[in-house]
Amino acid sequence: MPTPRPLGQTAALPPAVAELIRQANAPGFTAWRANITRAGGCTNPVHLVGTADTVDTATGEILHTHTSADGRLLVACGNRRATVCPTCSRLYRGDTYQLIRAGLIGGKDTPGTVTAHPRAFVTLTAPGFGPVHTRREIGGKVQRCRPRRAGGTCPHGLPLGCPIRHTEEDAQLGEPLCPNCYDYPGAVLWQAHAGALWHRFTIQLRRELARAGGMSRARLARMLRLSFAKVAEYQRRGLVHFHAVIRLDGPTGPEDEPPGWATLPVLEAAIHGAAKRVRVLAPGAEVLGRRLELRFGRQLDVRPIDAFGPGERITSAAVAGYIAKYATKGAESAGAVDRRIRHLSELESIPLRPHARRMIETCWELGGLEPLADLALRRWSHMLGFRGHFSTKSRHYSTTLGTLRQTRTDHRAAERARRLGLADRPTLVIGHWRYAGRGYTPAEALIASASASADPGGEGAPWLNVS
């Protein structure tokens, strides 16, 4: 039974709560709290110090001067990774969804006529570099991982098969059956050149379309434009797959109809042909005593996209949601880390899957070889060697992330001008800010966590002009 507390004695408050109470009773609490909630619940905001003057462009008069509480302005970090900042990644995911969706059904300055253009959702996979534990279902029934006759072993004495029916959370998923048989150098080099492989794929796809139309690539460019948006997804074995929306437009972009012969079956056949034929020779691989020709895996999924209703085709909303989900994930979803590794000794204090650890160690080993120095594998070891962009699109696919952000910025700037009574005056915001750190104090973290369920972007100081 707990000892009774003497009359008049209160329990010691947690430091964060005590600090919050002090702030609540101090002058300027409202401004202090607004400075935190402006970041919209960002977990690691950037601190800026300085001022911002709102100037009348006609007279030069300073109409309003902003200086944040305590001389600091908190700005959302804007990190896309969900493991780094759930709030900012949620906003990034929403923007990516709108970008992909606009290229499928129109909107955001993209005409709605794109719904009539041939469009396909494509998944390009990585090849195999050795058998790994996997989970398969047939008819809703989980299959054995790798059924094989008893007695078969690899040169290192480990079984060549696995009779286990793995659960979705099994830690063995993605791990090689034999780490010593697995081709880690090949996997890392494939990862390092995956972006180049995608680029070659888009070139080869245009060749396949030109061949289907019976014309040269130069003539094809005058009749048809290839538009796409893609995102990279890490598999449990640590290699990326590419998910892409591919659309055929007329020569000037989504406003134009593609030629009559450029149908969906033609697009599907061209995708299959390009994925089968594209190759990239890994430069510098000779230092490993091998000639490494890189290609995509044999598994290729090509599905037509339907604008509205369900059926055999997948819907535009489903595709946009699927791609946006993976735009906020990185190598951490494959058991790696979400930050750069400065020295290999850091691995001693980082909890990693054995397979991810071996991939990182291979990056450091290969990164120290002069013929492979240009790949900067040590710099990208936390990404398991992948150096490409997670999310890319062709110029004419739809709007851009920058445009979506600027629209949001302009809207919030207009709202701020309205609150200050300056909506009808021509104004310019001139800011002078410099970096002063990042993060929260314990009390600030309490306020931030309470506001995280609100608008994930917060106001984010959209009128800020750093100079």
Side-chain angles (χ1 to χ4, degrees), residues 133-412:
H133 291 278
T134 187
R135 186 175 189 273
R136 297 178 297 112
E137 289 188 22
I138 299 180
K141 183 178 179 181
V142 180
Q143 304 298 301
R144 292 180 178 179
C145 173
R146 290 187 176 274
R148 197 178 184 93
R149 292 180 180 178
T153 59
C154 74
H156 305 95
L158 295 178
L160 293 174
C162 174
I164 298 175
R165 303 178 193 271
H166 294 289
T167 64
E168 291 184 354
E169 304 301 324
D170 196 325
Q172 280 190 300
L173 291 176
E175 294 286 326
L177 271 64
C178 176
N180 293 321
C181 289
Y182 194 83
D183 183 11
Y184 280 100
V188 166
L189 290 178
W190 186 92
Q191 196 96 302
H193 292 90
L197 198 58
W198 166 262
H199 177 64
R200 293 283 183 88
F201 168 77
T202 60
I203 294 174
Q204 184 63 37
L205 183 54
R206 293 180 176 90
R207 290 172 179 162
E208 298 291 331
L209 290 169
R211 185 180 295 114
M215 63 187 70
S216 66
R217 284 181 57 198
R219 185 183 174 195
L220 178 76
R222 296 192 294 269
M223 300 180 62
L224 181 147
R225 181 180 293 275
L226 181 70
S227 297
F228 64 83
K230 74 130 172 74
V231 69
E233 175 206 357
Y234 272 88
Q235 301 296 294
R236 287 181 175 177
R237 58 182 173 140
L239 298 175
V240 295
H241 287 183
F242 289 130
H243 302 290
V245 173
I246 299 178
R247 188 185 72 214
L248 297 183
D249 298 328
T252 63
E255 297 82 7
D256 278 355
E257 291 290 330
W261 59 266
T263 61
L264 181 60
V266 169
L267 174 60
E268 292 178 299
I271 291 170
H272 280 278
K276 180 180 179 181
R277 294 183 177 91
V278 67
R279 297 287 189 275
V280 169
L281 187 63
E286 294 78 11
V287 72
L288 304 176
R290 60 196 295 190
R291 182 180 183 273
L292 189 59
E293 189 178 66
L294 306 172
R295 58 176 178 79
F296 284 114
R298 294 180 180 178
Q299 290 180 311
L300 172 66
D301 190 30
V302 183
R303 303 188 190 185
I305 299 175
D306 186 53
F308 303 104
E312 292 184 1
R313 302 183 179 191
I314 53 178
T315 65
S316 300
V319 170
Y322 190 80
I323 290 181
K325 176 179 68 173
Y326 287 112
T328 60
K329 295 184 178 182
E332 64 277 2
S333 61
V337 293
D338 55 15
R339 60 180 176 81
R340 185 165 295 170
I341 297 173
R342 306 292 180 180
H343 195 277
L344 195 58
S345 61
E346 295 178 29
L347 300 186
E348 298 176 2
S349 59
I350 300 176
L352 291 169
R353 286 178 50 206
H355 181 57
R357 182 182 298 273
R358 188 74 175 268
M359 290 278 286
I360 293 173
E361 290 171 345
T362 303
C363 286
W364 274 78
E365 180 183 352
L366 299 184
L369 302 177
E370 182 62 30
L372 300 175
D374 289 344
L375 298 180
L377 290 173
R378 292 184 175 181
R379 179 183 180 186
W380 299 105
S381 61
H382 67 296
M383 306 286 284
L384 307 182
F386 180 63
R387 305 179 301 142
H389 294 287
F390 270 87
S391 178
T392 60
K393 72 175 203 61
S394 60
R395 179 178 301 176
H396 294 276
Y397 174 78
S398 70
T399 187
T400 66
L401 290 175
T403 299
L404 293 174
R405 292 163 182 159
Q406 187 60 49
T407 300
R408 185 162 51 246
T409 295
D410 293 344
H411 171 74
R412 289 170 176 166

